[in-house]
Amino acid sequence: MSGHFEERSGVVPCGTPWGQWYQTLEEVFIEVQVPPGTRAQDIQCGLQSRHVALAVGGREILKGKLFDSTIADEGTWTLEDRKMVRIVLTKTKRDAANCWTSLLESEYAADPWVQDQMQRKLTLERFQKE
């Protein structure tokens, strides 16, 4: 994925050991690289309003308390090309002030530059909506 594509789509990703996460005003996206050939039945994914848990083939990849609350029954996950799991969470608070600075409470924080870019993107998104 080239940087130009991400700039155009306005996505500011925060890299993690397992993939990346990014956000819009309304949603948080988590993209987790999994072993090629992974099947949906290999995946255990638990989504609650403040917690996320993802295991593949019984191996825990991601687990913890989310940075902020999400709408539990709107959380979804999909397996793409049998090599990536995409989790989509809907934020409870949907405004530019609610820029998540990390995915979990104490883990996968965006560095200051990325945080700044994320905040700018959300502010821009809000202006485009108004």
Side-chain angles (χ1 to χ4, degrees):
M1 190 185 287
S2 74
H4 297 299
F5 168 73
E6 289 180 319
E7 279 164 35
R8 273 210 312 278
S9 65
V11 164
V12 181
C14 176
T16 66
W18 37 257
Q20 64 180 15
W21 68 275
Y22 54 92
Q23 63 187 316
T24 63
L25 275 179
E26 298 182 351
E27 295 171 314
V28 174
F29 297 82
I30 307 170
E31 296 183 347
V32 181
Q33 304 303 321
V34 296
T38 295
R39 298 166 307 165
Q41 55 262 44
D42 299 330
I43 296 167
Q44 295 83 46
C45 186
L47 302 174
Q48 296 164 291
S49 69
R50 277 303 292 265
H51 284 86
V52 63
L54 175 69
V56 177
R59 195 171 62 87
E60 186 180 285
I61 295 180
L62 174 62
K63 185 178 186 176
K65 188 170 188 189
L66 292 163
F67 178 80
D68 203 348
S69 60
T70 63
I71 300 172
D73 55 7
E74 287 190 21
T76 60
W77 66 269
T78 49
L79 175 63
E80 302 188 8
D81 302 327
R82 298 180 78 161
K83 62 181 185 196
M84 184 182 84
V85 174
R86 177 178 278 126
I87 298 170
V88 183
L89 305 170
T90 304
K91 294 177 180 179
T92 307
K93 301 196 273 291
R94 299 176 208 157
D95 56 65
N98 186 36
C99 181
W100 288 27
T101 54
S102 63
L103 177 61
L104 303 182
E105 263 191 347
S106 55
E107 247 181 319
Y108 312 123
D111 65 46
W113 186 84
V114 172
Q115 281 184 30
D116 184 55
Q117 296 299 310
M118 284 178 158
Q119 182 67 63
R120 284 179 194 204
K121 170 173 184 319
L122 297 198
T123 304
L124 184 69
E125 209 182 316
R126 194 187 71 210
F127 283 131
Q128 286 169 343
K129 281 204 158 117
E130 285 170 2

